[in-house]
Amino acid sequence: MTMTTEPRTAPVVRLDGREKVTGVGRYAADMTLTGLLHGRFRFADIGHARIKRIDTTRAKALPGVVAVITEADVPDVQYGLFIKDRRLFAKGVVRWEGEVVAAVAALTPEIAKRAVELIEIDYEPLPVITDIEAALAPGAPLIHENWESYWQDEKLVRSGNEASRSTIVKGDTAAALASADLVVKGRYVAAGSQAAPIEPRAILAEWRSDRVQIWSSTQVPFAARSLVSETLGLPENKIRVTVPHLGGGFGAKCEGHFEPQVAALARAARRPVKVVFSRRDEFLAPDHRREGMIVEVESGVMRDGTIVARRAQVLTENGAYSADEPLITILAAIFSTGPYNVPNVDITGRCAYTNTQPSGSVRAPGAPQAAWALEQHMDEIAKALDMDPVDLRRKNLLRNGDLSPTSQVMSEIRAVETLDKAAELIGWGQPLPDDEGIGIACAWWPSFPMATSAFVKINVDGSPTIITGAQECGTGAVMTLPILAGEILGIDPSEFSLVYQDTESGPWDGGAGGSQTLFNNGRAVADAAMDVRRQLLKLAADELEAAEDDIELADGRARVKGSPDRFVTIAALADKTQGTQLLVGKGSGEVPPTPASDTSACTGRLGAESFAAPTFGTHAVRVKVDRDTGVVRVLKVVAAHDSGYIVNKVGAAGQVTGGVVMGLGQALTEGTQISGEGRVRNAHLLDYKLQTMADVPDISVWFTDTAVSDAGPKGSKGVGEPPCIPTPGAVANAIAAATGARVRELPATPGRIWSALREGQA
Amino acid sequence: MSALASGSTAMGQATAAGPSYTAPTTVDDVIAAMATGSRVVAGGTDLVVGSRQGRWPVPEHLVAIHRVNSLRGIRPVVDGGLWLGATATHGEIAEDATIRERYTALADASSIVGSRATRNVGTLGGNIANASPAAETSGPLMCFGATCMLESRNGRRELPLDELFSGPGRTVAAMDELLVSVSLPAQPAGTGSCYARLEYRRQMEIAVVGATAVVTLDGGQITAARVAITSLAPTVRRVPEAEAALIGSTGDRAAAERAGEAAAAASLPIDDVRAAADYRRAMAAVITRRVVQAAVDRARGETVSIPASASLHGAL
């Protein structure tokens, strides 16, 4: 087959596409096994309480119930990324409504449901804290009474309900603020929100002697395996985690979730068990939702628009237990200064325990809310200076040679290009109808270099296979790997098969998080393909009686450069390897270095201060606001990104489009609502309002598409997360531009816009 | 709790052991099943969805009515009115030429219920019987003077729709009464109507605030007016003060605003996950004003596309 178009621009036929589109693809909930039991969790169902008694007698006595387990039935292990503050099942105290207290395995889902209801729990209610500032107030009741006894990362600074405290400090902010022409202040409050993957998670576990096979809808099979290992005390090679097709995750399926509980349940039942979450469970129980955040920021600016200093306090909502939120809080602190050249910064990030669902990474964790706050603040500065918001940003955006908040020297970045392009494509400055407005927002985000490996093999018939530990979460990142291998081996990408998302088949991988899949696995696969390429060239050199340097691989053949008639097919070469050395390549590639930074004045560091291959982007949004009702319709979005070289243009544009839509929902209609008792009030899709296809506006995507060094394959950067960062801020600014009223709460619901308009009129 | 409220958890006297499900083909058989405690299911879009959300369990004993031919369809009747079977779907109503022309507000309502999938199976009878204060079709039906036919083993009775609802999720129908059909009387010449709701997104919505207006114009003056509010009180209800504000006017903006203010004054809005009460009350005025103006426009023969919600304030 000949490639008539450049593979990165051609519509890639995804190797998983046909089965997903036709409905034959299998997800974890679709699976069944001989002797399968149906599991169900008993959740706390109360915001905060001491457990006085758990009695499973009646549940166990129900006909059809095979096993009921609680904390008493598993090893007493505490776990957690930075603070080991939680257990598989609640012990003594429940701290949020979705905490798992017990699990049941039964012959049918209906029996399991009834058995769960028959578990008797006596609670002594404890004070419920749902508010971040109330949790941090002096004298607030402790959510973890024994917090001092928990293991913690040695670099973590914490106290009581404050799960982490960190600072980003550069220069002399107090002096710079004092000498500034003007100081502009703002306070912005963002509600927590949900990743809301369309597939509620499902987990199956089946023991085979002393080994357990788990199928899980996880974004991170290797991390899930590690959690099972840590909590159940098994070596990793006795645990296999396999992911059938994954129906989205958006970060909510990062880290291990519930795999250990289901494995423990299957072990107790001595039969395979499947747990399938309802939509309600998916809203309430996973410990990864986007955190609520309060940003208070003040900037010292000069009359010409130069920002000389920025001080900020970022409060984040940790929830009842600590996942990766302390690290996310550091990211949020960095993002609260934006992608701007600010010589003096003093930012404190504080992460607060609350009696709510634990927060954790959701697509670009910490960034959208911080950017939403900061980009509104930028517009408020522009207004105070009577300056055009685009001009203010252009004056202050990071350029090559500038220093980040942690004094990382910027190089090969194109932030200003994204601003200018977004302004141009949206028609910045054009006259608009009275009820319309355009807003703009900038953002940045790191790439995440990490180790991984891959194999590329040529089967004896010449067909190629990629073996990777990578996880496809719907982004197409894994599906893009054949483009890279195919180019190196002269094979059409559609001819590859893929072995992936299985801990026993592929090498370790960080999983579908941090926009890292193609960034790192692309490097490993390309390296493995180069290994096979060398083997092929050697075989071909013998066969064609030519020097290896004179041979090229193209169209499934090895041929002598300049003499296309002198060739041998890769299939023929593969056939010759039978009985000798098979064509197997392996590779890891060299992990790109993380740039130097100066964090000497920073405290509570957990490792996110230096941004490898940082991406930059600007979104511009045009909205129409119904002033009587506060209902916003988004008319157009322009998304301009510096993501380095683009490996798969169709896939990358799809990521940006999806990120924009996710951002629109966060900006306008989503937001988790929590009662004072710690109960989520909108744990379903009617009242947790994701954007529908009917709401999606015209979206234009533009890339700098320029290779950079110290980055991913071919000079690329991570592309999955950044597109959901600038949208909420751009929408907020567009609403303010259209109405003159500014909504400093997220989401900007019609009711809030209506209130802001009324206050504006007053 | 009404037997019509398909989401109700009340249990009857069914004696069969374990859950049961029947799908008879005659009204008599449905009524017989109801008399022994079975609950009615039609499209299941409230019953099943509500159950999945944990709002109520699926009833132990179900009688499905989708196979009963005499409950289906939409037919003109001799006096110029319209008969709608209880299992007429929102999709059928939204597409019906007579309804779109003469009972336009009902087409406005049915064409925005839930999703397309909901509209394909969700029924008018279910929408009424569920007695939601947010039900889309109830306001239009009330304003058109709809009556509903209830049938049990004790016979039939016909009830004006505005006497049916007794509270959120509650009706005055007895446990064993089946909603068989809805009848709409003919509307006078010169009548225009509109239903619209406040919605935060363009699909898959539920009324945060809704309003219906049916007006009859004669010689440039409103001679008859009916106004109802949705999601603004424990039941969908008419607002006589708003109607009075319109009668005798030309249906101009000032009159529409007076109607809107009357609707706001008559509202008993709640604070909930969808909106704050003060916002809802303010929106009662806005949405009522808009539907009155759209109804007047339609009465004058001007085109306001269906569904009006999209063209009035979702307008682009």
Side-chain angles (χ1 to χ4, degrees):
Chain A
M1 191 182 290
T2 16
M3 287 174 285
T4 51
T5 45
E6 196 187 5
R8 70 187 185 118
T9 57
V12 178
V13 177
R14 291 174 57 144
L15 296 178
D16 61 354
R18 185 176 296 273
E19 53 184 307
K20 284 181 172 175
V21 169
T22 57
V24 302
R26 287 290 172 259
Y27 295 78
D30 297 323
M31 295 187 58
T32 190
L33 296 162
T34 302
L36 184 68
L37 298 176
H38 298 271
R40 196 175 173 93
F41 294 136
R42 170 70 181 257
F43 298 108
D45 209 27
I46 187 170
H48 193 193
R50 200 173 304 285
I51 300 171
K52 294 170 71 182
R53 185 182 69 103
I54 302 179
D55 189 343
T56 58
T57 312
R58 290 178 65 206
K60 284 176 173 161
L62 185 71
V65 171
V66 182
V68 182
I69 62 172
T70 66
E71 54 85 16
D73 302 291
V74 294
D76 187 16
V77 173
Q78 288 183 236
Y79 67 94
L81 197 55
F82 297 104
I83 307 168
K84 294 193 188 296
D85 59 4
R86 67 183 306 182
R87 294 178 168 86
L88 297 178
F89 296 94
K91 182 177 183 180
V93 177
V94 292
R95 296 180 174 87
W96 61 297
E97 61 171 327
E99 187 161 356
V100 178
V101 179
V104 170
L107 296 177
T108 68
E110 291 77 16
I111 297 171
K113 182 170 184 285
R114 211 172 311 152
V116 157
E117 289 160 3
L118 288 174
I119 296 171
E120 294 168 18
I121 307 176
D122 290 346
Y123 287 128
E124 174 194 336
L126 294 170
V128 174
I129 308 177
T130 58
D131 181 82
I132 301 174
E133 287 167 316
L136 293 174
L142 287 175
I143 289 168
H144 290 266
E145 285 174 350
N146 301 322
W147 64 273
E148 284 175 289
S149 69
Y150 300 159
W151 176 94
Q152 67 161 75
D153 185 294
E154 60 184 12
K155 285 179 268 176
L156 192 71
V157 178
R158 68 186 179 115
S159 176
N161 287 341
E162 190 176 66
S164 79
R165 185 188 186 96
S166 50
T167 61
I168 303 291
V169 176
K170 180 177 74 168
D172 186 345
T173 299
L177 283 173
S179 64
D181 289 342
L182 195 67
V183 175
V184 179
K185 297 184 183 183
R187 175 185 160 94
Y188 308 88
V189 180
S193 56
Q194 296 281 341
I198 214 66
E199 177 205 23
R201 70 198 64 211
I203 298 157
L204 295 85
E206 179 179 46
W207 287 82
R208 297 163 180 175
S209 177
D210 62 345
R211 295 162 190 269
V212 63
Q213 163 77 58
I214 296 167
W215 293 267
S216 174
S217 33
T218 177
Q219 290 175 245
V220 287
F222 290 90
R225 183 178 72 169
S226 295
L227 183 67
V228 176
S229 170
E230 179 182 3
T231 54
L232 298 185
L234 293 166
E236 296 210 337
N237 68 357
K238 296 204 173 191
I239 306 154
R240 179 176 189 174
V241 178
T242 308
V243 185
H245 286 314
L246 185 66
F250 306 100
K253 294 172 182 170
C254 283
E255 292 199 276
H257 291 269
F258 310 112
E259 289 89 359
Q261 288 95 331
V262 180
L265 190 57
R267 186 158 62 181
R270 297 172 173 274
R271 282 169 68 169
V273 173
K274 173 162 80 171
V275 169
V276 180
F277 269 21
S278 68
R279 174 60 60 190
R280 184 177 163 77
D281 296 340
E282 186 61 38
F283 267 110
L284 294 179
D287 62 2
H288 269 233
R289 61 148 178 169
R290 214 187 265 295
E291 59 287 300
M293 194 182 292
I294 300 171
V295 178
E296 290 181 340
V297 57
E298 57 183 314
S299 296
V301 293
M302 307 310 285
R303 285 274 161 225
D304 70 352
T306 305
I307 299 168
V308 294
R310 183 160 280 155
R311 177 186 286 150
Q313 176 176 261
V314 178
L315 306 182
T316 62
E317 184 184 28
N318 181 66
Y321 295 95
S322 205
D324 47 4
E325 194 57 32
L327 182 65
I328 294 169
T329 303
I330 294 176
L331 285 169
I334 293 174
F335 292 123
S336 72
T337 70
Y340 302 107
N341 182 30
V342 185
N344 302 286
V345 297
D346 182 357
I347 308 153
T348 302
R350 302 177 71 194
C351 177
Y353 278 111
T354 50
N355 291 115
T356 58
Q357 181 177 18
S359 300
S361 62
V362 170
R363 199 174 185 180
Q369 308 95 303
W372 162 82
L374 190 271
E375 291 297 313
Q376 291 215 73
H377 179 64
M378 288 294 288
D379 267 30
E380 298 198 66
I381 293 171
K383 189 176 179 188
L385 291 170
D386 194 22
M387 190 171 178
D388 181 288
V390 169
D391 291 341
L392 176 70
R393 286 176 174 81
R394 191 184 291 108
K395 186 166 192 66
N396 291 285
L397 268 176
L398 285 168
R399 289 170 168 77
N400 293 320
D402 288 346
L403 300 182
S404 80
T406 56
S407 298
Q408 172 187 339
V409 181
M410 293 294 115
S411 69
E412 299 183 63
I413 68 167
R414 294 169 181 269
V416 177
E417 272 182 53
T418 70
L419 173 69
D420 288 341
K421 200 64 183 181
E424 174 200 328
L425 292 177
I426 200 76
W428 182 262
Q430 68 178 299
L432 296 173
D434 280 350
D435 56 354
E436 293 185 22
I438 291 175
I440 205 155
C442 302
W444 66 318
W445 182 254
S447 302
F448 291 94
M450 60 180 88
T452 192
S453 296
F455 302 103
V456 173
K457 63 176 182 175
I458 306 291
N459 299 300
V460 291
D461 65 349
S463 62
T465 298
I466 294 170
I467 302 170
T468 167
Q471 174 63 40
E472 176 61 59
C473 73
T475 62
V478 176
M479 299 302 127
T480 301
L481 296 173
I483 292 179
L484 294 166
E487 191 173 346
I488 290 165
L489 295 172
I491 298 174
D492 189 280
S494 67
E495 292 184 20
F496 282 81
S497 65
L498 275 163
V499 177
Y500 60 117
Q501 51 202 32
D502 175 17
T503 58
E504 286 296 271
S505 306
W508 185 90
D509 184 63
S515 309
Q516 75 88 27
T517 300
L518 185 59
F519 188 91
N520 292 303
N521 287 282
R523 177 188 71 240
V525 165
D527 198 37
M530 286 302 294
D531 189 3
V532 178
R533 178 186 169 87
R534 284 189 293 272
Q535 297 169 37
L536 285 170
L537 292 180
K538 186 165 188 298
L539 289 170
D542 289 347
E543 187 71 18
L544 299 172
E545 296 176 348
E548 285 178 34
D549 285 351
D550 291 335
I551 294 172
E552 61 185 4
L553 301 180
D555 302 338
R557 297 169 172 183
R559 65 190 183 202
V560 178
K561 290 175 189 166
S563 308
D565 293 342
R566 287 180 63 199
F567 72 88
V568 56
T569 64
I570 289 174
L573 293 175
D575 187 54
K576 286 187 183 306
T577 64
Q578 294 191 72
T580 64
Q581 192 175 352
L582 298 174
L583 288 165
V584 180
K586 68 175 199 287
S588 302
E590 199 170 319
V591 179
T594 297
S597 61
D598 177 3
T599 51
S600 53
C602 306
T603 60
R605 295 167 46 216
L606 297 170
E609 302 87 359
S610 175
F611 284 10
T615 69
F616 293 83
T618 303
H619 288 190
V621 176
R622 179 169 172 178
V623 303
K624 178 185 177 85
V625 183
D626 180 344
R627 297 181 71 100
D628 290 343
T629 64
V631 172
V632 173
R633 299 298 185 203
V634 180
L635 305 179
K636 182 170 179 65
V637 179
V638 172
H641 284 266
D642 170 13
S643 309
Y645 175 88
I646 303 300
V647 178
N648 171 355
K649 287 194 169 178
V650 174
Q655 283 302 292
V656 176
T657 303
V660 165
V661 175
M662 197 167 173
L664 293 176
Q666 194 186 5
L668 293 169
T669 54
E670 298 184 29
T672 297
Q673 299 185 38
I674 300 173
S675 77
E677 290 76 46
R679 312 306 296 269
V680 173
R681 301 166 74 210
N682 56 343
H684 54 89
L685 288 171
L686 180 57
D687 283 318
Y688 187 89
K689 292 187 191 297
L690 301 172
Q691 297 283 288
T692 71
M693 280 301 166
D695 298 295
V696 174
D698 174 20
I699 300 171
S700 296
V701 179
W702 180 84
F703 290 111
T704 55
D705 195 15
T706 305
V708 294
S709 45
D710 293 337
K714 309 189 83 164
S716 59
K717 307 179 189 177
V719 92
E721 292 169 299
C724 69
I725 303 172
T727 303
V731 169
N733 286 336
I735 292 168
T739 64
R742 190 163 282 286
V743 179
R744 297 181 184 84
E745 287 174 284
L746 188 69
T749 59
R752 285 172 173 163
I753 293 169
W754 174 78
S755 295
L757 276 163
R758 277 208 315 179
E759 284 157 22
Q761 286 159 5
Chain B
M1 174 79 62
S2 154
L4 298 177
S6 53
S8 142
T9 61
M11 288 293 136
Q13 281 82 45
T15 51
S20 66
Y21 173 88
T22 55
T25 56
T26 68
V27 168
D28 285 350
D29 287 347
V30 172
I31 289 170
M34 292 175 75
T36 59
S38 285
R39 315 309 311 278
V40 172
V41 59
T45 56
D46 282 311
L47 187 87
V48 177
V49 174
S51 165
R52 289 240 172 124
Q53 285 178 9
R55 289 162 67 193
W56 46 67
V58 173
E60 282 278 294
H61 304 287
L62 282 173
V63 55
I65 59 173
H66 61 280
R67 296 174 65 202
V68 183
N69 282 335
S70 65
L71 297 177
R72 288 187 196 157
I74 301 167
R75 291 194 290 278
V77 291
V78 282
D79 62 358
L82 204 63
W83 179 96
L84 298 97
T87 59
T89 66
H90 295 294
E92 290 162 0
I93 292 167
E95 298 292 308
D96 186 272
T98 306
I99 293 173
R100 292 175 75 89
E101 187 190 333
R102 287 162 46 198
Y103 303 95
T104 318
L106 182 59
D108 284 331
S110 276
S111 56
I112 57 173
V113 172
S115 64
R116 184 171 286 276
T118 311
R119 297 191 287 274
N120 283 342
V121 293
T123 64
L124 182 67
N127 200 226
I128 296 168
N130 206 45
S132 164
E136 311 292 355
T137 59
S138 296
L141 291 173
M142 261 182 209
C143 290
F144 289 126
T147 56
C148 51
M149 184 66 75
L150 304 175
E151 187 169 344
S152 72
R153 286 201 294 196
N154 300 323
R156 292 185 154 216
R157 60 171 173 148
E158 191 163 26
L159 203 63
L161 190 77
D162 47 10
E163 293 175 19
L164 181 71
F165 303 121
S166 55
R170 293 199 304 275
T171 71
V172 299
M175 287 289 293
D176 60 349
E177 280 185 302
L178 175 71
L179 172 61
V180 174
S181 62
V182 175
S183 291
L184 296 176
Q187 304 296 310
T191 298
S193 68
C194 180
Y195 171 79
R197 67 183 180 195
L198 176 68
E199 50 192 11
Y200 296 161
R201 62 182 175 189
R202 295 191 215 189
Q203 284 289 327
M204 312 286 288
E205 265 293 12
I206 187 165
V208 180
V209 166
T212 309
V214 178
V215 299
T216 304
L217 282 181
D218 188 357
Q221 275 205 329
I222 294 180
T223 55
R226 289 179 175 180
V227 173
I229 52 177
T230 303
S231 289
L232 285 163
T235 66
V236 175
R237 52 159 294 188
R238 294 258 304 273
V239 186
E241 301 82 357
E243 296 167 355
L246 293 173
I247 291 171
S249 79
T250 59
D252 58 349
R253 184 175 168 110
E257 280 178 0
R258 285 195 300 277
E261 283 156 21
S267 300
L268 299 166
I270 56 167
D271 274 314
D272 71 2
V273 70
R274 290 171 195 150
D278 64 338
Y279 176 65
R280 272 206 168 94
R281 188 184 299 281
M283 292 308 102
V286 173
I287 305 300
T288 302
R289 185 192 81 216
R290 289 179 179 179
V291 296
V292 166
Q293 292 198 288
V296 169
D297 287 346
R298 282 172 171 166
R300 289 179 180 141
E302 293 166 27
T303 300
V304 177
S305 62
I306 303 168
S309 279
S311 50
L312 286 188
H313 37 267
L316 289 179

